[in-house]
Amino acid sequence: MRPLRLDMAGFTVFRDETTVDFTDADYFALVGPTGSGKSTVLDGICFALYGTVPRWGGSRGIGNALAPSATEARVRLVFESAGSRYVATRVVRRDGRGNVKTAGAGLQLMPPGFDVTRLDTGMSLDDLGDVLAGTPAEMDGAIVDAVGLPYEQFTSCVVLPQGQFADFLHAKPATRQQILVNLLGLQLYEEVQTRASTRATKAEAQLAVVDQALGALADADDAAVESAAARLAAMRELTGEVEAAMPRLRAAREREAELAVARDAVAAELAALSRVTMPSGSAQVAEAAAAARVTAEGAATAVRAAEEREEKVRGELAAAGDAGSLGLLLDRHVEHDRLTGQAEWFAGEVSVAEVEHRDAVAAAELARSAHLGAEQLLERARLDYTEAQALDRAAALRAQLTAGHDCPVCEQRVTVVPAMPAGSAVKVAEQQGKAARAASDVASTAFKQRDAVARELERGLDRKRAQFEQHKSRLAEVTAGLADSPGVAALKARLAELTKLQRRLDAAGAEVRSAREAHRRAQTAVAAAEEQQRTAWRSFDSVRDGVARFGPPPADRDDLAGAWSTLVDWASSSAQQRAAARAEAAAAVEAAQADTRQLVTAVGALFTKRELPAPAGGADADLIRAAAVAAERAEAAWQRLEDRREQAREYAEQRADLVRAGRVAKSLAGHLRANNFERWLLEEALDLLVDGASRILRELTGGQYDLMHDKGEFFVVDHHDAGLRRAVRTLSGGETFQASLALALALSEQLAGMSTTAASLESIVLDEGFGTLDAATLDVVAATLENLAARGDRMVGVVTHVHALAERVPVRFEVHKDARSAHVKRVGL
């Protein structure tokens, strides 16, 4: 894994957006004062990839990722691994309740040739290529696949953080062995042993199932298949024999059917002739029809006589006059008497209304005169008041004053209106004017009331006069209408005569209606009798038509009873002839049925001969179907045995394969279960690791120390002390750093060759105390790192605040911190 660009915003000390561009930085140093944020750059790389940081104590407490008072942290890392370029992004947010959660995480495979300098620092999750992971859970596996290292191996081989630099050197043998197992992926062999044991157990279980299946197929041997094949051949032979017998059987059945049809035809003719019988009452039907026609003719004669009598009375009534006109003249005589009596009453009402109207008009004239006099007195009072004002101006002005308002003369506020002086002419004139006004109002009201009464009486008089004139006009009209009247007595006599004639006419009409009703009933009876006669002939025709094909004798249409007698005699004679013919046809049918039964029995014997039950139905289709079903069942039984025999062969082959696979898996599990193979691999890996670390340590210490191991413990051989072997825990701080550095460099160099994983170790970053080294050792360490970087197969980075070491590094990232945020500046290539 080789980092290309790191973008941070809101991440721990990098509150502001910060970009670290590692392009072309094969050998770089992160420099700056203590606490400026140098190690935080490495934290950002680890967090973008794995979601955690070594300095967080191994927990995934993402709350540590947020800068103080920040609500969101964003980290994006662009890196190369095994020739492919990826971008990993993580976003952390704090919600309103203070909970910190991962809001976004993703890994994308960038397109070839994508220029990372085109990326902005906005840290958005825009699509930068193919999405490999979109959630934190998906990121865990995707990062391991892309980088080739899990988190523990990454922090031991690529990014070596503070405080863990010498862990591998001072670890206990068991701990160091487990670290190597994890780094080298030797747990693969444990998985192989587990899978081999599982496969062996599974093979044994499958073998038991196969053996059980083979036991169930024991009956499917060659003898059973041959027996089923012979049975199939016999059934096919049966089918051929049954089909060969079918033509003779069908011919017998057809002969039997033809004879049965002939027998049934004779029986049908006999049945039809036997049904020819004369219905009861056929002789009385014609007599009833003749009697009904005679009755109808008598009823028609009675109707004509009644109608003639009614017409005679109607003519007498028409000659006697109109009863309506006579009644109208009598009504006018009554109205004339009534109008004559009412004329005197109307005349009196008009006279009274005229007197009342004259009195009301006189009273209104008197009220009008009184009202005019009061108006004259009121006008006199106004003139007196005007003269009094002219004589007494102050009194007149006093009448215009109002308390609380301004005076119209002096414009001063009037608090109290002065009283009118006694004997003032204005006051006297004002009192007289009020009295005149009151008298005028009373006179005006009286005049209006009396004038209204006079007008109302005038309208009433006009109405009564109009009613009286209308009454006199109607009386004259009625009197003129009675000019030609013979008088009340003569009118009443003539009306009595007309009433008698009307009663005679009504009686004659009732007689006509009665006669017509009797005639209608007689006609209905004639129609019913004739319909009954027609029905009887239709019944005769229906019976005769039923036997018309046998040639019955002709019928006399005028004698129903005779026609029935002739037909019945003929039918009886013909039925005797057909009875003899039916007996002969029945005997022929029974002989044909016997022949058919004999043939069916012969076909059934073909089934019993082959140990099969004869078909229950004797129909041709039943026999053919039974033979075909027997053949199909025999073929199905043979096919089942053939399939089971083939299945047994397959199970036998499968059993052999399972036995071989089980033996191989069991043997492999046994070899790997003793851990000898894993122990040997660990010893070989540790030997190679110590050899490489010893070579590097000799260079760092000027040939003073070699590194060796014995029973899992690390020792140094001090060549300056006669080759004395010492435990690594006796080394000084600087010497411990040199030994740890040598071991870390060797582990990083050789891990790719020893690991079973596809790790791509394209970079190493050291974050440990170079300040503990003296100048000479520091020079050796710097030269070692320079040589490592000069090989060109990996990026080398250091985190230091030692100026002498930083000056020798071609690319430096200077980290400084202000009151708000840390910042990074690239210096050098």
Side-chain angles (χ1 to χ4, degrees):
M1 193 284 298
R2 182 187 183 98
L4 298 179
R5 173 180 171 133
L6 176 66
D7 295 308
M8 298 174 289
F11 182 71
T12 64
V13 297
F14 290 97
R15 182 181 181 88
D16 295 338
E17 294 181 1
T18 303
T19 298
V20 183
D21 187 0
F22 294 103
T23 305
D24 298 330
D26 294 332
Y27 183 27
F28 68 88
L30 289 166
V31 299
T34 301
S36 60
K38 301 185 298 297
S39 298
T40 304
V41 176
L42 303 186
D43 293 345
I45 295 175
C46 290
F47 182 74
L49 294 174
Y50 300 98
T52 187
V53 171
R55 293 195 296 176
W56 294 350
S59 68
R60 299 177 69 90
I62 58 176
N64 298 319
L66 288 172
S69 73
T71 58
E72 181 179 89
R74 300 188 177 208
V75 180
R76 180 172 64 195
L77 175 66
V78 181
F79 64 93
E80 286 183 350
S81 180
S84 298
R85 185 167 293 184
Y86 303 85
V87 55
T89 308
R90 291 185 187 267
V91 180
V92 176
R93 291 194 182 97
R94 179 185 287 115
D95 59 21
R97 294 179 292 183
N99 299 322
V100 180
K101 296 180 180 179
T102 300
L107 178 67
Q108 292 158 282
L109 176 63
M110 302 179 70
F114 186 86
D115 186 4
V116 296
T117 60
R118 292 167 50 195
L119 295 174
D120 61 339
T121 57
M123 313 303 289
S124 63
L125 293 175
D126 294 335
D127 186 11
L128 299 176
D130 296 336
V131 177
L132 304 180
T135 64
E138 295 175 353
M139 284 281 284
D140 293 342
I143 287 296
V144 174
D145 293 340
V147 178
L149 295 172
Y151 172 71
E152 294 79 6
Q153 296 183 21
F154 183 81
T155 55
S156 298
C157 304
V158 179
V159 176
L160 305 179
Q162 291 182 359
Q164 300 182 20
F165 199 61
D167 285 352
F168 188 77
L169 180 67
H170 293 155
K172 294 180 179 181
T175 302
R176 189 181 299 113
Q177 179 175 331
Q178 186 60 42
I179 293 175
L180 283 176
V181 167
N182 293 335
L183 290 176
L184 300 177
L186 298 184
Q187 62 271 21
L188 171 67
Y189 300 104
E190 296 179 3
E191 295 178 4
V192 171
Q193 189 272 332
T194 301
R195 292 186 181 183
S197 299
T198 302
R199 287 189 179 183
T201 303
K202 184 178 180 180
E204 292 178 358
Q206 291 176 338
L207 189 61
V209 173
V210 171
D211 289 340
Q212 183 178 1
L214 284 172
L217 297 173
D219 61 330
D221 53 7
D222 294 341
V225 174
E226 292 176 359
S227 176
R231 180 68 174 172
L232 174 59
M235 294 303 102
R236 287 175 177 173
E237 182 182 2
L238 170 64
T239 302
E241 292 177 355
V242 170
E243 291 177 351
M246 284 300 105
R248 285 186 300 158
L249 181 58
R250 277 195 289 271
R253 292 187 188 278
E254 290 173 359
R255 174 62 180 166
E256 178 185 345
E258 291 174 358
L259 292 174
V261 169
R263 179 200 60 189
D264 294 340
V266 174
E269 293 176 358
L270 179 60
L273 291 170
S274 300
R275 288 193 293 271
V276 178
T277 57
M278 183 172 65
S280 61
S282 297
Q284 290 79 16
V285 171
E287 297 175 358
R293 282 194 287 271
V294 171
T295 303
E297 291 176 359
T301 301
V303 169
R304 286 193 294 274
E307 289 177 348
E308 290 175 357
R309 289 191 294 272
E310 181 187 24
E311 189 62 29
K312 180 180 179 182
V313 174
R314 191 181 303 278
E316 294 176 359
L317 181 60
D322 184 9
S325 300
L326 297 176
L328 182 59
L329 286 175
L330 283 176
D331 292 339
R332 286 187 176 179
H333 277 289
V334 173
E335 184 180 6
H336 180 271
D337 294 340
R338 179 178 58 80
L339 292 174
T340 301
Q342 290 178 348
E344 296 179 359
W345 180 82
F346 273 114
E349 285 293 318
V350 171
S351 298
V352 172
E354 289 176 346
V355 172
E356 290 178 351
H357 177 258
R358 283 195 299 271
D359 293 343
V361 171
E365 286 299 327
L366 291 176
R368 179 189 299 274
S369 300
H371 175 61
L372 291 176
E375 286 292 327
Q376 293 175 356
L377 291 175
L378 178 59
E379 183 63 26
R380 181 70 263 176
R382 287 196 186 100
L383 295 175
D384 293 344
Y385 181 74
T386 302
E387 293 176 357
Q389 282 183 330
L391 297 175
D392 190 354
R393 297 287 185 183
L397 180 61
R398 187 180 292 112
Q400 304 298 324
L401 297 179
T402 303
H405 293 270
D406 295 339
C407 175
V409 178
C410 65
E411 297 183 353
Q412 298 296 319
R413 181 61 56 88
V414 176
T415 57
V416 180
V417 178
M420 185 69 70
S424 172
V426 173
K427 184 174 182 181
V428 173
E430 183 178 358
Q431 291 175 353
Q432 291 176 351
K434 290 180 179 179
R437 168 59 66 184
S440 176
D441 293 341
V442 171
S444 176
T445 301
F447 166 69
K448 292 178 180 179
Q449 291 175 350
R450 293 177 181 177
D451 183 63
V453 171
R455 293 180 184 277
E456 182 63 27
L457 290 175
E458 184 179 3
R459 285 191 293 272
L461 177 60
D462 292 339
R463 285 195 302 273
K464 290 179 179 181
R465 284 174 177 170
Q467 292 173 356
F468 185 40
E469 291 297 328
Q470 184 178 5
H471 186 78
K472 289 190 295 182
S473 175
R474 177 58 182 167
L475 180 58
E477 181 180 351
V478 170
T479 302
L482 294 176
D484 298 330
S485 174
V488 176
L491 290 174
K492 288 182 179 181
R494 291 175 63 183
L495 279 174
E497 182 65 24
L498 288 173
T499 301
K500 290 179 182 180
L501 290 174
Q502 182 64 45
R503 288 175 184 162
R504 288 176 57 194
L505 180 61
D506 293 340
E511 185 179 355
V512 170
R513 288 192 295 274
S514 178
R516 288 175 178 172
E517 179 62 23
H519 182 249
R520 186 188 62 78
R521 289 195 297 269
Q523 286 180 329
T524 302
V526 169
E530 290 178 349
E531 178 60 28
Q532 186 177 7
Q533 188 177 21
R534 286 192 295 272
T535 301
W537 275 109
R538 283 195 295 270
S539 176
F540 172 82
D541 292 340
S542 175
V543 172
R544 189 179 186 282
D545 290 343
V547 295
R549 64 185 183 277
F550 308 138
D556 184 3
R557 304 302 295 183
D558 296 331
D559 186 2
L560 178 62
W564 269 113
S565 179
T566 302
L567 183 63
V568 168
D569 293 342
W570 170 83
S572 177
S573 175
S574 298
Q576 292 176 0
Q577 297 173 1
R578 270 131 178 112
R582 183 182 64 177
E584 295 176 358
V589 170
E590 290 178 358
Q593 289 175 344
D595 293 341
T596 302
R597 283 194 297 271
Q598 184 178 0
L599 291 174
V600 170
T601 302
V603 174
L606 297 176
F607 286 89
T608 56
K609 177 182 176 181
R610 292 169 176 83
E611 300 178 353
L612 289 175
D620 296 353
D622 293 337
L623 296 173
I624 295 175
R625 186 183 304 108
V629 168
E632 289 175 358
R633 289 177 178 174
E635 184 176 4
W638 169 79
Q639 187 62 49
R640 282 196 300 272
L641 284 173
E642 183 69 23
D643 294 341
R644 286 165 59 83
R645 183 175 65 177
E646 184 63 26
Q647 190 176 6
R649 290 174 181 172
E650 293 176 357
Y651 275 126
E653 295 176 357
Q654 186 178 356
R655 187 181 189 282
D657 293 341
L658 288 173
V659 169
R660 287 193 298 271
R663 288 174 180 173
V664 171
K666 190 173 183 180
S667 176
L668 178 60
H671 287 307
L672 295 179
R673 187 176 294 114
N675 295 329
N676 293 330
F677 183 70
E678 180 179 316
R679 186 180 302 110
W680 175 80
L681 286 177
L682 286 173
E683 290 177 355
E684 288 294 318
L686 192 58
D687 288 342
L688 292 175
L689 180 64
V690 170
D691 288 345
S694 181
R695 174 180 51 80
I696 296 174
L697 183 61
R698 282 196 301 271
E699 295 178 2
L700 294 176
T701 59
Q704 181 179 357
Y705 293 115
D706 276 336
L707 187 65
M708 62 173 295
H709 72 95
D710 185 12
K711 298 179 181 180
E713 294 288 350
F714 282 156
F715 297 91
V716 292
V717 177
D718 189 353
H719 295 290
H720 289 182
D721 193 4
L724 178 66
R725 190 177 79 170
R726 294 174 11 191
V728 294
R729 294 186 180 277
T730 64
L731 296 176
S732 64
E735 293 171 339
T736 298
F737 173 77
Q738 291 174 333
S740 299
L741 178 61
L743 196 59
L745 294 175
L747 184 64
S748 176
E749 287 180 352
Q750 301 190 29
L751 181 61
M754 295 186 295
S755 176
T756 60
T757 63
S760 177
L761 302 180
E762 302 174 45
S763 60
I764 181 172
V765 183
L766 306 176
D767 184 8
E768 193 57 41
F770 296 99
T772 61
L773 304 178
D774 56 30
T777 303
L778 182 63
D779 183 70
V780 173
V781 169
T784 302
L785 295 176
E786 289 171 355
N787 292 334
L788 184 63
R791 290 164 52 181
D793 58 351
R794 75 186 62 197
M795 172 191 286
V796 178
V798 296
V799 179
T800 183
H801 56 272
V802 177
H803 182 72
L805 177 61
E807 287 296 327
R808 298 182 59 168
V809 179
V811 178
R812 296 185 299 279
F813 294 98
E814 297 180 352
V815 184
H816 66 279
K817 183 180 179 183
D818 55 24
R820 174 179 172 80
S821 173
H823 305 276
V824 178
K825 178 182 179 182
R826 177 170 173 165
V827 178
L829 295 177

